[in-house]
Amino acid sequence: MFDLIRHKTASSKADILSGLTVALALVPEAVAFAFVAGVEPMVGLYAAFIMGLVTAVIGGRPGMISGATGAMAVVMVALVAQHGVQYLFAAVVCAGIIQVLAGAFKLGKFIRIVPTPVMIGFVNGLAIVIFLAQLGQFQVPNADGVMQWLSGSQLYLMMGLVLLTMAIIHFLPKLTTAIPSSLAAILTVTAVVIFFNLDTRNVLDFLKSMSGDANATMAGNLPSFAIPSVPFTFETLKIILPYSFILAAVGLIESLLTLTVIDEMTNTRGRGNKECVGQGVANITSGFFGAMGGCAMIGQSMININSGGRGRLSGITAAVALLMFILFGAQFIEMIPLAALVGVMFMVVLGTFEWASFKVMRKVPKHDAFVIVLVTVVTVFTDLAFAVFVGVIVSALVFAWEHAKHINANQSIDQHGRKIYQVNGPLFFGSVAHFLALFNTKDDPQDVIIDFNNSRVCDHSAIDAIDTLAERYVAAGKTLHLRHLSADCHKLLTKAGDLVEVNMIEDPNYKIPDDKLES
């Protein structure tokens, strides 16, 4: 499904080199998302380190990279603005607990209900979001602090370096795979900029422009343990709990969908419930160490997979390398040109976007094509988690509508003069109206048989429809016979009256999925 480079084997060397590449790409993302959330850059960098390390060690998907993300940052900004960063840390801890509980109750398996059109729309929308996010690197603040687009020689230089980065990533694997092409591209472009003293923006310039501080730096210390400084009261819980549920849901949806994408790329299978626990533990740890928390990052995960990272060592290396950059190598990382990182992310965009979807949409049903476009558009204009919710709901409604039209009945008269309705198709909430319209209570003979041998009663709405139909025949003074229904349905139909005869099939192979019946 995804036309990306697939590495058949994993090695420690590939994991380490790939992890270093990811660590370099994590820096501007973590800083940018920290500013989106309204917190200090170091809060985002600490989150990238903690989330990446914990999920790499105990998560359910080796090779997947986690860190501070934009989808969670936009949820955090209101809480930080109204109540301060300490409430954010408390909310992240609470969100982590919710995620651990989700894993413990095995809720991760529900990611399987996401249809393929939603997945295609998800990756397409994500690719567009990543692309649009990189366009911000082509802007600089003017004298009044207002962002404006690069122009003239600055723009040409930026574009040239981006294209050079992309060319190295594309062509180097044809010559050698000894070093990840993304890492080679970053190092080469950085060397070219330094050697020729080219006037182009680097990571330090980005940090200064985002913070508005001419003395800004990404150098820092080890994160320290601290319990969030908030009142331990019910009022505090009322404030943070809504944010915590949203953060937990957004984080799990993004992480589990990213896990599914990587499964498809690598022809392996991650463990969704274990990933829920890993994300939860990572967020709990983040909250207690002054970090903003986060979830899986599909862009950095794509870099890792395409660079050969397959094992847990790749994620561990990325996290540890990022910490080393903060502690000892900040001055070197700050020299990396933004053009090199933009070029890497542009290649991620090209690899992530499902180009075959243009051909697929001409072959699949129109409603599936609509879902692909819908999820893509909603992803771009809102966020990934909401887009997936919308896609799943629309797909479910379309499924219900299409299957509601499939119910029909063959009519015949047996040797005793009884009319037989042979029902075909599933009977559920969507097909109830069609089902009731199949019968002619007024003109039917005294005895009517409804045979469900080729049908399945799927939910409580279906049972209620059968009871409604039985009552109609009773009111008309006629006898209704129902065949091939399960024992569970028989229990509910006893309220229809003595004139309703229920004949059981010899070996019912299905049960009606009704919580009341199972209790």
Side-chain angles (χ1 to χ4, degrees):
M1 175 177 171
F2 303 98
D3 186 21
L4 296 168
I5 300 171
R6 288 180 169 84
H7 296 263
K8 300 299 182 182
T9 59
S11 67
S12 297
K13 176 185 175 182
D15 281 347
I16 292 172
L17 293 176
S18 178
L20 290 173
T21 307
V22 171
L24 296 174
L26 276 171
V27 174
E29 296 277 319
V31 172
F33 294 144
F35 283 113
V36 170
V39 298
E40 294 295 323
M42 205 55 62
V43 176
L45 291 169
Y46 286 157
F49 161 64
I50 295 172
M51 293 297 302
L53 181 62
V54 174
T55 56
V57 173
I58 66 173
R61 176 67 262 181
M64 190 164 74
I65 305 298
S66 295
T69 61
M72 295 187 70
V74 296
V75 177
M76 299 171 179
V77 62
L79 178 61
V80 174
Q82 294 179 26
H83 301 283
V85 70
Q86 292 298 323
Y87 277 82
L88 170 62
F89 297 151
V92 168
V93 171
C94 189
I97 294 172
I98 295 170
Q99 291 176 328
V100 170
L101 292 175
F105 287 103
K106 302 188 182 304
L107 301 183
K109 62 185 178 183
F110 288 105
I111 198 63
R112 301 172 190 169
I113 70 174
V114 178
T116 298
V118 176
M119 285 297 301
I120 295 176
F122 166 75
V123 295
N124 286 353
L126 186 63
I128 296 174
V129 169
I130 295 174
F131 172 78
L132 294 176
Q134 305 314 306
L135 297 183
Q137 309 303 344
F138 289 86
Q139 294 178 316
V140 292
N142 58 19
D144 299 324
V146 179
M147 300 300 291
Q148 62 182 17
W149 293 99
L150 293 173
S151 60
S153 59
Q154 283 188 317
L155 176 61
Y156 299 141
L157 177 58
M158 181 77 170
M159 293 179 64
L161 294 174
V162 169
L163 292 174
L164 175 60
T165 303
M166 297 174 69
I168 294 173
I169 295 174
H170 178 73
F171 291 108
L172 183 60
K174 302 179 185 298
L175 302 175
T176 178
T177 57
I179 180 173
S181 57
S182 297
L183 179 59
I186 293 173
L187 296 177
T188 300
V189 173
T190 302
V192 168
V193 169
I194 294 174
F195 183 79
F196 291 101
N197 194 27
L198 300 177
D199 183 18
T200 186
R201 299 176 72 225
N202 55 29
V203 171
L204 181 59
D205 295 325
F206 173 77
L207 184 60
K208 290 179 179 179
S209 65
M210 291 292 289
S211 64
D213 182 3
N215 298 316
T217 177
M218 63 169 286
N221 301 313
L222 284 170
S224 57
F225 177 84
I227 297 175
S229 181
V230 297
F232 291 90
T233 63
F234 182 70
E235 290 300 318
T236 299
L237 187 62
K238 286 174 60 178
I239 293 172
I240 67 173
L241 199 57
Y243 289 98
S244 296
F245 273 108
I246 296 173
L247 290 172
V250 170
L252 289 184
I253 290 172
E254 286 214 41
S255 299
L256 294 174
L257 286 177
T258 302
L259 180 147
T260 303
V261 172
I262 296 176
D263 285 353
E264 182 72 21
M265 290 173 58
T266 59
N267 293 320
T268 58
R269 184 171 181 177
R271 299 172 62 185
N273 293 317
K274 187 175 182 181
E275 184 61 33
C276 292
V277 174
Q279 292 289 332
V281 173
N283 276 305
I284 293 172
T285 307
S286 293
F288 283 121
F289 280 88
M292 61 185 285
C295 61
M297 307 179 73
I298 192 166
Q300 278 64 26
S301 298
M302 297 300 102
I303 294 175
N304 189 44
I305 297 300
N306 288 332
S307 299
R310 290 292 184 273
R312 296 185 183 276
L313 182 59
S314 61
I316 295 172
T317 301
V320 173
L322 178 62
L323 182 62
M324 294 301 102
F325 295 158
I326 296 172
L327 297 178
F328 309 112
Q331 59 180 336
F332 301 107
I333 303 304
E334 291 170 351
M335 297 187 324
I336 296 176
L338 288 177
L341 300 176
V342 171
V344 171
M345 297 309 294
F346 276 174
M347 292 302 291
V348 169
V349 169
L350 294 175
T352 302
F353 195 91
E354 183 53 58
W355 301 101
S357 60
F358 292 111
K359 183 184 298 183
V360 167
M361 285 194 292
R362 294 197 298 266
K363 299 180 179 180
V364 299
K366 291 181 180 180
H367 53 78
D368 283 342
F370 172 75
V371 169
I372 293 174
V373 175
L374 175 66
V375 174
T376 300
V377 172
V378 175
T379 298
V380 173
F381 288 99
T382 58
D383 62 73
L384 301 175
F386 181 70
V388 172
F389 274 125
V390 171
V392 171
I393 291 171
V394 171
S395 296
L397 292 175
V398 170
F399 175 85
W401 177 258
E402 291 298 320
H403 280 70
K405 298 185 295 185
H406 292 166
I407 194 165
N408 59 78
N410 299 324
Q411 303 178 23
S412 62
I413 304 294
D414 67 6
Q415 65 271 25
H416 302 293
R418 299 177 300 184
K419 188 172 184 179
I420 300 176
Y421 287 89
Q422 180 75 50
V423 180
N424 303 302
L427 181 58
F428 65 107
F429 69 92
S431 61
V432 163
H434 291 78
F435 170 76
L436 293 175
L438 295 174
F439 302 93
N440 188 349
T441 309
K442 179 180 178 181
D443 298 331
D444 278 346
Q446 184 66 30
D447 289 287
V448 176
I449 299 174
I450 304 178
D451 194 329
F452 288 90
N453 190 48
N454 296 329
S455 179
R456 287 294 177 268
V457 178
C458 300
D459 59 14
H460 194 78
S461 296
I463 296 174
D464 185 68
I466 295 172
D467 184 51
T468 298
L469 186 63
E471 290 176 350
R472 290 181 183 178
Y473 278 102
V474 170
K478 299 176 181 180
T479 304
L480 179 66
H481 307 268
L482 306 177
R483 292 179 179 172
H484 296 153
L485 286 172
S486 70
D488 294 331
C489 191
H490 182 209
K491 293 178 182 178
L492 287 184
L493 288 173
T494 54
K495 65 180 181 180
D498 297 335
L499 295 178
V500 177
E501 176 184 330
V502 180
N503 299 314
M504 303 298 301
I505 60 174
E506 291 78 5
D507 183 22
N509 291 321
Y510 69 102
K511 297 292 183 183
I512 296 177
D514 188 281
D515 292 339
K516 295 180 180 179
L517 294 177
E518 294 175 357
S519 60

